[in-house]
Amino acid sequence: MNATDLENFSSAWPGVAAAASREDEFVLSVAGRAFATLCLRGPERGRLSFAVEPEHFVELASQPDVVPAHYPARPFWITLTEPERFARDALENFVRRSYTLVRAGLSKRQQAALAALEPSAPMNRDERKRKT
């Protein structure tokens, strides 16, 4: 999975911003808070980091090719040292869950603003009849 892949599948999520940070890291964020990073250069190139639920942190971090992320200000982040060993669906689910976790930690005002950006659910037949 590369930066383009990450940006493509997350771009429809409300409030997502993608940017290169320090030229060596691709960062996905919501309301200014990172929820996934991809190392672009150096010996850690290709490593994907993201937030996980505290109750899943130990379980995930004990798997091969998964280590606690080296972000001291971000507890419960893990790094996949070889993301290519995971199915694409699994990677997308990890990143989507991280987005959900970080978004849930935003202020109520920020969450409401993001909710307003979500596409509304399609109306069912009864709702359409009432509108006409």
Side-chain angles (χ1 to χ4, degrees), residues 35-50:
F35 66 87
T37 64
L38 178 69
C39 185
L40 300 173
R41 292 184 180 185
E44 295 183 356
R45 182 174 186 233
R47 291 185 176 195
L48 178 63
S49 300
F50 48 86

Side-chain angles (χ1 to χ4, degrees), residues 28-131:
L28 290 174
S29 62
V30 58
R33 292 194 182 172
F35 66 87
T37 64
L38 178 69
C39 185
L40 300 173
R41 292 184 180 185
E44 295 183 356
R45 182 174 186 233
R47 291 185 176 195
L48 178 63
S49 300
F50 48 86
V52 297
E53 297 92 339
E55 60 270 17
H56 294 132
F57 179 79
V58 173
E59 171 192 344
L60 287 169
S62 66
Q63 294 182 25
D65 303 315
V66 181
V67 297
H70 57 81
Y71 303 115
R74 296 181 186 152
F76 307 114
W77 273 60
I78 61 168
T79 297
L80 304 180
T81 59
E82 295 184 30
E84 63 275 4
R85 296 185 68 166
F86 292 83
R88 182 179 177 93
D89 287 347
L91 295 174
E92 289 179 6
N93 286 335
F94 285 141
V95 174
R96 176 64 187 203
R97 184 64 190 143
S98 181
Y99 166 82
T100 302
L101 288 169
V102 171
R103 182 175 164 174
L106 299 174
S107 71
K108 290 184 188 285
R109 185 183 50 145
Q110 289 172 312
Q111 289 182 41
L114 291 172
L117 297 174
E118 290 180 345
S120 58
M123 288 189 284
N124 66 32
R125 189 172 35 148
D126 294 332
E127 290 172 323
R128 282 192 297 264
K129 281 182 183 177
R130 278 185 252 143
K131 277 206 137 187

Side-chain angles (χ1 to χ4, degrees), residues 9-31:
F9 82 79
S10 66
S11 64
W13 304 341
V16 170
S21 170
R22 300 182 313 235
E23 296 182 18
D24 64 348
E25 189 173 57
F26 180 77
V27 180
L28 290 174
S29 62
V30 58

